[in-house]
Amino acid sequence: LKSNPSNNEEKEAQTQLTKSDELQRLHSQALSAYQQEDYEAAISLLDEILAVCVWDAELRELRAECYIKEGEPSKAISDLKAAAKLKNDNTEAFYKISRIYYQLGDHELSLSEVRECLKLDQDHKQCFSLYKQVKKLNKQIESAEELIREGRYEDAINKYDSVMKTEPEVPIYATRAKERICHCLSKNQQATEAIKVCTEVLQLEPNNVNALKDRAEAYLLEDLYEE
């Protein structure tokens, strides 16, 4: 206004000032909702603020936290990726993205993101610890898949047993390992064992197409055509 005290400028300044006050009010409400663990309300308020303050990394990180608490990790990833770009050396965002991918069973993307964290800070304790875990698991899974391609099914089964021992805390890895063991047993014509393991997978994931196909192959070996 000092530089250009016209009516139009004054109206524009007043509008922006009113909007600024409104956003500060919404921000206080969002923080309050977050502290009271009303994450749904906090997300709704943060949506409004971020529609205007698109480039605010801290607000995106806060909304990501709310999404995680609400059990919507995929939405959290999108906010954390933006925050990683908006704030320099944001190792925390890369660490969180890597952890979410890991929990979702996407070990390859998890490895890629944790490497980004270590590029920024090679001494980052949390990232280094996660990196070692994901790298070990990733290597075992790659090795098991190579054995399957070579038709070495017994060895592949042993390797997938190791995968389950390496990561006993995140259930999706055990389910995926059992799905591949079921495949190996079926291919190796160990029908009875294949049916047992495939059934375990299907109790957890009734629509798992791979387990259904492999169990069908095992039933064929046993002449159980109806099944």
Side-chain angles (χ1 to χ4, degrees), residues 54-68:
V54 184
W55 312 118
D56 192 311
E58 281 171 17
L59 289 176
R60 285 188 177 275
E61 286 173 339
L62 183 61
R63 189 168 66 176
E65 277 301 308
C66 294
Y67 281 135
I68 291 167

Side-chain angles (χ1 to χ4, degrees), residues 11-27:
K11 275 184 197 157
E12 175 64 14
Q14 283 300 333
T15 305
Q16 294 293 347
L17 194 58
T18 307
K19 190 186 278 185
S20 162
D21 289 342
E22 170 66 4
L23 288 171
Q24 283 182 316
R25 188 180 63 76
L26 291 173
H27 187 213

Side-chain angles (χ1 to χ4, degrees), residues 8 32 34 52 67 76 130-131 134 142 145 203:
N8 281 349
S32 173
Y34 177 76
V52 182
Y67 281 135
L130 181 60
Y131 171 71
V134 186
E142 280 180 354
E145 288 302 309
Q203 280 166 348

Side-chain angles (χ1 to χ4, degrees), residues 42-204:
I43 289 167
S44 176
L45 291 159
L46 288 165
D47 286 347
E48 279 189 71
I49 306 167
L50 280 159
V52 182
C53 307
V54 184
W55 312 118
D56 192 311
E58 281 171 17
L59 289 176
R60 285 188 177 275
E61 286 173 339
L62 183 61
R63 189 168 66 176
E65 277 301 308
C66 294
Y67 281 135
I68 291 167
K69 301 281 191 190
E70 281 288 284
E72 296 192 78
S74 304
K75 289 183 179 176
I77 286 173
S78 139
D79 269 339
L80 288 167
K81 283 194 168 178
K85 288 195 180 105
L86 292 167
K87 200 196 282 183
N88 285 340
D89 298 341
N90 197 344
T91 51
E92 195 57 32
F94 284 117
Y95 172 70
K96 283 179 181 172
I97 296 166
S98 178
R99 273 207 67 76
I100 293 171
Y101 276 134
Y102 187 69
Q103 297 291 328
L104 292 173
D106 200 328
H107 51 95
E108 289 171 339
L109 280 175
S110 175
L111 190 59
S112 162
E113 294 294 334
V114 81
R115 279 181 173 141
E116 290 300 318
C117 172
L118 290 171
K119 275 184 199 169
L120 295 171
D121 178 5
Q122 60 188 27
D123 298 322
H124 194 289
K125 282 184 182 166
Q126 286 175 307
C127 284
F128 187 65
S129 170
L130 181 60
Y131 171 71
K132 283 198 298 186
Q133 175 70 3
V134 186
K135 192 181 177 194
K136 181 180 180 183
L137 190 76
N138 199 50
K139 198 172 176 186
Q140 286 177 330
I141 293 170
E142 280 180 354
S143 170
E145 288 302 309
E146 183 59 35
L147 290 166
I148 290 173
R149 284 192 288 275
E150 291 169 5
R152 294 167 58 190
Y153 299 117
E154 250 345 295
D155 292 336
I157 289 167
N158 291 334
K159 188 61 76 175
Y160 268 117
D161 279 334
S162 301
V163 167
M164 288 192 279
K165 290 190 183 97
T166 297
E167 186 42 87
E169 303 294 324
V170 184
I172 194 161
Y173 293 108
T175 308
R176 290 289 157 268
K178 283 182 182 175
E179 180 193 311
R180 298 307 278 155
I181 290 169
C182 137
H183 175 73
C184 292
L185 290 165
S186 181
K187 286 285 183 193
N188 218 26
Q189 303 200 335
Q190 293 167 263
T192 311
E193 292 94 325
I195 291 164
K196 177 174 169 286
V197 178
C198 295
T199 301
E200 280 177 28
V201 175
L202 289 162
Q203 280 166 348
L204 296 166

Side-chain angles (χ1 to χ4, degrees), residues 186 191-192 194-196 198-199 202 211-227:
S186 181
T192 311
I195 291 164
K196 177 174 169 286
C198 295
T199 301
L202 289 162
L212 285 165
K213 288 196 295 186
D214 288 321
R215 190 169 68 173
E217 291 288 339
Y219 280 140
L220 284 175
L221 292 168
E222 294 285 278
D223 298 334
L224 297 166
Y225 301 119
E226 281 298 321
E227 285 86 338

